Amino acid sequence: MAGGTHRVPFARRGSVLGEADLAALAELVRAEGTLTSGVWRDRFEERFRERIGARHALTVTSGTVALELATRLLDLAPGDEVIATPQTFQATIQPLLDHDVRVRFCDVDPDTLNMDPDVLETLVTDRTRAIFLVHYGGNPADMDRIMAIARRHGAIVVEDSAHGIGTLYKGRHPGALADIGCFSFHSTKNITTLGEGGMITLARDEWAERVLRIRDNEVDGVFTPRTDAGEERPALLPWMKFADSVYRHTAVGIRGAGTNATMSEAAAAVGMVQLDSLDRFVDRRRWIAGRLDEALSAFPGVRLHRAAPDSRHSYHLYTFFLTAGREVREHFVRAVDLLGVEIQLRYFPLHLSPEWRLRGHGAGECPQAERVWFEEHMNLPCHPGLTDDQVDHLVTAVTRAMREAYEKAGAKAHLARTA
Ligand SMILES: *Cc1c(COP(=O)(O)O)cnc(C)c1O
């Protein structure tokens, strides 16, 4: 499958950039002010926070960094357990590799590819510190049940909402459904901040204070205001702001070094414009998905990836399941590729990847995730950058490739029977 040459490519860009994005950049360039830690960042955070309904929303440089910070806030200790979905991009749980914790992979619901609460119930223990889940492809996880289980055991829930921007769960937005939310504005995501960027949403003030320190190159620690003024020190002059803060606080415990995870003003300016366009982008995704659903539901052996009636799927990924057998699936993939439609399967179950195998994980741990990925899983292009012509071609090509796949598989089965 030659990448980049398909008539209907998988998304390199998940959103559309235009005049309004350019105008925001022009305004920023002409203003001659700071290019970092400025008003655009503050405005973007405020607008995002309101949109999501989160207590705090803080920009960072990527979704991966948001997840690293989320993991850091958990203060994991040896012996702690963390439960995670295997059906996600590696960044969701990669930071856990740095910790001496036991990761338990929770199998998924084969209809949604989201964490299955029935399985979660069997994995949760008194040692479960956190649960990492994803709203797969933009279809929200079963949050009411997951949160009820988590609350009963005092576990913190991290929503990887990289696919969930524009998604609604019973009228509420991912990132405000649990304790910590992590968003990505990577080029392929539903909105982008010029290629890279991220946001972390937080339900606790203490976490927000820590993230502000960490992302701005300060030490992450437990600080208490100094009460005794007895220490010998040089007199402070009013402009000695930094020295003043050093003297005013006593570190009780250092948790770790800070870093620079500050989003640029250019990224935030574009983020503001993109956020205003989010509903339009998601409507376009939903329209394309509706056309694909309609075409595919004409075939037996197809299971669609649908949100519950009270929720809104944002179709970051268009997914369907081809249950007609390996042969039909392989014929379909080949035929649709020849017709110019690019397929990329998202994602390989993480518990089967080398880094988690080295930690003792492997086949059999999540039977549904494994079965669906190896036997049924399909993703098709679905993004607002596709023109009407491309969408027409996509739907026609999918229909034709499905017919061919059934015919070929059927003919072969017939030949095998008559041989
Ligand atoms: C894209 C993505 C990430 C990582 O975000 P980046 O901004 O690319 O670092 C994390 N989790 C999921 C599920 C993603 O799709």
Side-chain angles (χ1 to χ4, degrees):
M1 301 187 197
T5 59
H6 291 83
R7 183 160 163 198
V8 187
F10 219 79
R12 268 67 178 172
R13 276 190 198 178
S15 71
V16 179
L17 293 152
E19 290 307 317
D21 303 86
L22 282 173
L25 285 171
E27 189 185 327
L28 170 71
V29 169
R30 293 201 183 97
E32 291 182 353
T34 179
L35 292 171
T36 185
S37 306
V39 293
W40 284 105
R41 183 188 65 180
D42 295 347
R43 282 185 212 152
F44 183 38
E45 288 176 351
E46 181 59 19
R47 175 106 34 116
F48 195 87
R49 194 182 66 73
E50 280 170 7
R51 167 87 200 216
I52 301 304
R55 185 164 173 83
H56 298 279
L58 297 170
T59 48
V60 289
T61 40
S62 69
T64 298
V65 166
L67 286 153
E68 283 171 6
L69 291 173
T71 305
R72 174 108 155 235
L73 295 174
L74 301 173
D75 292 322
L76 294 169
D80 284 346
E81 292 183 2
V82 176
I83 299 173
T85 178
Q87 186 45 252
T88 182
F89 181 56
Q90 66 227 45
T92 309
I93 55 167
Q94 195 147 256
L96 293 169
L97 289 169
D98 285 340
H99 294 266
D100 183 16
V101 293
R102 178 170 182 213
V103 173
R104 311 191 74 181
F105 285 98
C106 179
D107 208 354
V108 298
D109 176 331
D111 291 334
T112 61
L113 300 186
N114 283 324
M115 180 175 278
D116 183 339
D118 288 333
V119 181
L120 177 63
E121 196 89 67
T122 67
L123 295 176
V124 75
T125 74
D126 292 346
R127 301 165 98 170
T128 307
R129 287 277 297 132
I131 297 167
F132 280 71
L133 59 83
V134 71
H135 302 291
Y136 178 85
N139 192 1
D142 190 350
M143 293 307 288
D144 283 349
R145 287 197 57 205
I146 290 169
M147 291 312 291
I149 297 166
R151 290 293 178 251
R152 256 199 322 276
H153 294 269
I156 291 165
V157 177
V158 179
E159 293 173 80
D160 181 338
S161 304
H163 301 177
I165 182 149
T167 292
L168 289 175
Y169 173 78
K170 302 185 180 179
R172 291 160 64 215
H173 202 288
L177 303 170
D179 301 293
I180 302 176
C182 299
F183 291 85
S184 166
F185 309 124
H186 179 268
S187 183
T188 55
K189 298 294 158 51
N190 289 10
I191 60 170
T192 186
T193 49
L194 285 183
E196 300 282 357
M199 187 84 75
I200 185 166
T201 54
L202 304 152
R204 297 187 192 168
D205 298 345
E206 185 249 347
W207 286 337
E209 283 164 29
R210 285 180 68 185
V211 168
L212 284 172
R213 283 200 297 265
I214 297 168
R215 82 167 179 192
D216 199 20
N217 262 321
E218 290 179 44
V219 172
D220 179 25
V222 182
F223 297 94
T224 57
R226 274 196 89 92
T227 46
D228 78 289
E231 184 185 328
E232 290 272 340
R233 60 180 198 185
L236 292 176
L237 297 174
W239 52 268
M240 291 177 167
K241 252 172 59 192
F242 181 72
D244 187 48
S245 76
V246 169
Y247 279 126
R248 270 194 296 107
H249 293 89
T250 305
V252 175
I254 303 290
R255 284 161 154 151
T259 185
N260 178 8
T262 305
M263 175 178 278
S264 77
E265 286 291 278
V270 168
M272 285 279 285
V273 176
Q274 291 271 301
L275 198 53
D276 283 342
S277 309
L278 174 62
D279 288 330
R280 199 160 42 83
F281 294 157
V282 170
D283 285 347
R284 179 77 179 171
R285 285 175 180 275
R286 288 170 55 79
W287 177 75
I288 298 170
R291 291 202 52 191
L292 286 169
D293 278 356
E294 195 189 327
L296 284 165
S297 53
F299 294 91
V302 167
R303 193 166 79 247
L304 300 175
H305 187 250
R306 287 214 152 124
D310 54 3
S311 292
R312 183 169 88 147
H313 195 321
S314 66
Y315 291 99
H316 170 64
L317 298 172
Y318 182 85
T319 308
F320 76 99
F321 307 102
L322 194 40
T323 60
R326 175 160 298 186
E327 270 204 71
V328 172
R329 188 179 181 227
E330 282 177 12
H331 284 305
F332 173 74
V333 170
R334 235 170 278 137
V336 88
D337 184 65
L338 283 174
L339 291 167
V341 173
E342 186 181 19
I343 287 193
Q344 290 181 3
L345 290 191
R346 300 269 164 86
Y347 298 89
F348 187 66
L350 287 180
H351 64 292
L352 303 180
S353 63
E355 66 272 30
W356 293 102
R357 278 180 184 273
L358 272 173
R359 290 204 153 196
H361 298 276
E365 211 169 329
C366 297
Q368 296 296 341
E370 293 163 31
R371 186 183 60 75
V372 171
W373 200 88
F374 285 104
E375 294 173 21
E376 301 180 346
H377 193 154
M378 284 287 156
N379 294 112
L380 291 170
C382 179
H383 49 97
L386 295 177
T387 63
D388 287 354
D389 274 354
Q390 281 174 308
V391 176
D392 286 342
H393 181 77
L394 170 65
V395 172
T396 309
V398 164
T399 306
R400 236 181 88 185
M402 284 292 276
R403 277 202 200 112
E404 276 179 36
Y406 276 92
E407 273 163 26
K408 280 195 182 151
K412 219 162 166 208
H414 179 71
L415 284 177
R417 270 200 303 278
T418 52

